Amino acid sequence: MNKTVAIVLAAGKSERLGGELPKAFLSILGRELYQYSLQMFDQHTQIDSIILVVPEQFLTPTKAKHKSEKISLIAGGETRFESVSKALNHLDKSVENVLIHDAARPFITKNLIDNCLKNLSENNAVSCAIESTDTLVVKDADGNVDSYPDRSKIMRIQTPQAFRLDLLKKAYSLALKESKTDFTDDSSLIQYYGLAPVSLVPGSEQNIKITYASDLLLAELILNGLKEGAGK
Ligand code: CTP
Ligand code: MG
């Protein structure tokens, strides 16, 4: 069977959110944010193991909370690129497939993981994406509207994303060679180096990324809604 590993990224500094704790460690309705997505991967039978990437200072206390053999923890790096890179270096040769997920998106579902894995059986690189409900514009150097791209062709990328490990490792080594490390997701590396088509699967409107303080309020609303739904 193909070995599949999930990498859950929780090592960011939350500069846009601010506050004392990094967002992945903020408590939302009694649980730290990263625990919501971690649990989805932990419960998924097709995920063989999980690497949780956390800030250095959170390594020891977080390790103490996760004794399961399925979960290992490592310290992240200065950038998202570095955090993923460290996780990839941690994987052994038996791993074939890797799913990468931002812990800042707590509302990942089994369905999203299923869709990524199903699509990965026919493709080498997969990303969740949703349509944009806002009209998007390209701005010019003066901050005025330059053009209105055709919205039907524009999608918003989410995580999880799924890759063949050898392909993703190749993309990372090419980027490292030219010190190009400013990618904000992993599908963009694959696309940038023309290594494979990135296949898109439907993401979900609920799969929000916590970026600003207002997103925390939204997250609580979504969670309360999910709890109510589960209770019915
Ligand atoms: N991330 C990471 N290591 C980094 C930077 C980011 O593991 N050095 C993770 C974050 O924890 C998050 C995901 O990558 O789950 C997406 O990043 P983002 O939303 O930008 O989080 P932060 O980088 O923490 O936020 P900001 O950019 O506002 O500082
Ligand atoms: Mg960031």
Side-chain angles (χ1 to χ4, degrees), residues 202-219:
S204 121
E205 283 291 343
Q206 206 166 274
N207 184 25
I208 60 165
K209 180 157 81 73
I210 310 297
T211 305
Y212 298 104
S214 57
D215 297 323
L216 289 170
L217 294 175
L218 194 55

Side-chain angles (χ1 to χ4, degrees), residues 135-177:
T135 298
L136 298 162
V137 296
V138 177
K139 68 175 181 182
D140 64 18
D142 301 320
N144 298 320
V145 172
D146 178 70
S147 61
Y148 291 84
D150 179 356
R151 198 170 69 187
S152 67
K153 289 189 182 162
I154 305 268
M155 300 290 282
R156 289 156 57 201
I157 288 285
Q158 297 184 333
T159 62
Q161 300 183 337
F163 308 93
R164 299 264 171 258
L165 178 61
D166 52 359
L167 188 83
L168 192 62
K169 277 196 150 180
K170 187 169 180 192
Y172 268 79
S173 76
L174 288 170
L176 268 174
K177 246 183 222 160

Side-chain angles (χ1 to χ4, degrees), residues 9-17 23-24 53 77-80 83 102-104 209-211:
L9 296 169
K13 294 195 184 78
S14 311
E15 274 163 3
R16 285 169 288 181
L17 187 67
K23 59 193 173 190
V53 190
E78 274 301 302
T79 60
R80 187 184 184 282
S83 291
D102 292 338
K209 180 157 81 73
I210 310 297
T211 305

